[in-house]
Amino acid sequence: MPRPIELGPLARPVRRSMSAQRPGETGTMLPPLIDHHVHLMIIGPDALRDTALAGVVDLGGPLDAIASHARRDGLPKVAFAGSFLTAPGGYPVGRPWASPGSAREIVVEAGDERAALPTAAETAVGEQLAFGASVIKVALNRAAGPVLDAATLAAVVTSAHAAGVPVVAHVEGDGMSRLAIDAGVDAFAHTPFTERLDDELIARAVAAGQCWISTLFVAGYGEPTPEAGIALDNLGRFHAAGGRVLYGTDLGNGDQPLGVNPAELALLVRAGLGAAAVLASLTDPWPVPVDGAVATFVPGEPPATLDEFPAWLASACLSPAEDLEQL
Ligand SMILES: [Zn+2]
């Protein structure tokens, strides 16, 4: 039998308890699996019940609706950003998939920064936090309309950080990645897919501790598009430079399986992540930890090759941690 691939420190061989008389099957225990980029407003609040995902991060939708989904019991646990903060008329205002209330336009008044009252940026951030957001989302899409100016973006970041909450940006179009990195944005909702980041800018992103949510599959939906190539190249160099990669699919965007997407996993491998790095990206507790009583069980022997790794991992299921006996 060939030796299995190296899964790293997050994976442990276990036996799943069935009953005292009948020993359960053997497999691999992993921490809870998280998709760090989904949209419940598109797939619906119940679409991911009974999948292997223990947590999801909703990165944009109507604030009140997403907040009420997040308050419900059961898995996956929902962390959320609330509305997309954007410039007046900016992305995703007017997009057919963006339900009313998905975009929160920040209208900056003249003299805003000198007033004693909260600024427009502080107010917009405060609204999301009041509903329980654990991350703030900004849309920086120059290809689709106006974007926040650097001062307003900086005010968003300062307000979020004052509350101990990270900021994630949708960056699309020339110069948007640099604008976000310069402003101290903590995460990218997508691996940048419209422009190649030079090594110096990637090094700055890594040094700042930025995380990048992969979403490689939706950059081409499995086709070798220019965007898919740019994203693969950017993510490969970000990972090689020590960058923190988070698994995420933008679930709701296009046709994707409900649950863990093996095509996204295969693209992470193509970008140069080994099995241990893929597992780290899929179990990273960003932006908030998931309940530790639940674990992941992958039945059977770990695969012998990286080619088989995505399908093996996509066969995972949720399990109470107490049902898994370490071998
Ligand atoms: Zn999205």
Side-chain angles (χ1 to χ4, degrees):
M1 191 143 181
R3 268 166 60 89
I5 55 173
E6 181 51 60
L7 295 174
L10 297 169
R12 297 187 192 149
V14 289
R15 183 186 306 281
R16 194 182 196 185
S17 64
M18 298 294 277
S19 69
Q21 293 76 29
R22 193 162 62 95
E25 58 188 328
T26 56
T28 302
M29 180 169 88
L30 302 169
L33 306 186
I34 299 167
D35 188 330
H36 299 87
H37 187 161
V38 307
H39 293 284
L40 298 179
M41 70 171 164
I42 301 174
I43 59 175
D46 295 317
L48 297 171
R49 304 246 168 194
D50 306 317
T51 69
L53 294 170
V56 296
V57 186
D58 190 287
L59 287 188
L63 177 57
D64 52 350
I66 303 298
S68 76
H69 300 332
R71 280 193 297 270
R72 302 192 320 166
D73 289 334
L75 297 174
K77 289 287 175 202
V78 178
F80 64 95
S83 303
F84 295 78
L85 306 192
T86 192
Y91 179 85
V93 174
R95 292 289 165 123
W97 50 262
S99 310
S102 305
R104 169 65 166 85
E105 296 163 85
I106 300 180
V107 182
V108 179
E109 309 283 351
D112 207 8
E113 70 283 356
R114 291 189 303 275
L117 295 169
T119 65
E122 288 167 348
T123 302
V125 169
E127 287 166 9
Q128 317 311 309
L129 299 178
F131 276 78
S134 45
V135 55
I136 294 294
K137 172 91 175 264
V138 292
L140 301 173
N141 184 349
R142 182 167 278 161
V147 298
L148 299 173
D149 62 84
T152 306
L153 180 59
V156 167
V157 172
T158 302
S159 300
H161 288 179
V165 167
V167 176
V168 60
H170 173 113
V171 295
E172 183 170 354
D174 288 349
M176 294 295 96
S177 302
R178 187 176 295 277
L179 175 68
I181 291 167
D182 285 347
V185 163
D186 306 277
F188 284 166
H190 302 277
T191 300
F193 58 94
T194 57
E195 59 177 350
R196 182 184 190 276
L197 274 60
D198 64 36
D199 290 343
E200 181 269 336
L201 190 57
I202 284 179
R204 280 181 53 209
V206 173
Q210 208 178 41
C211 17
W212 289 9
I213 301 167
S214 56
T215 76
L216 294 171
F217 178 73
V218 296
Y221 301 101
E223 300 296 325
T225 62
E227 288 81 7
I230 290 168
L232 261 182
D233 171 56
N234 281 332
L235 193 73
R237 287 181 299 115
F238 178 73
H239 168 67
R244 180 176 169 191
V245 177
L246 306 177
Y247 167 91
T249 62
D250 200 9
L251 200 52
N253 176 354
D255 193 17
Q256 296 193 67
L258 295 173
V260 175
N261 185 351
E264 185 70 32
L265 300 173
L267 287 164
L268 286 167
V269 169
R270 259 188 74 193
L273 279 73
V278 172
L279 293 180
S281 78
L282 191 54
T283 58
D284 192 310
W286 185 93
V288 282
V290 174
D291 178 3
V294 69
T296 308
F297 179 71
V298 193
E301 276 292 304
T305 69
L306 264 180
D307 286 347
E308 303 162 87
F309 173 66
W312 171 81
L313 186 49
S315 73
C317 58
L318 280 167
S319 171
E322 63 183 13
D323 287 359
L324 301 177
E325 176 203 346
Q326 295 199 36
L327 297 175

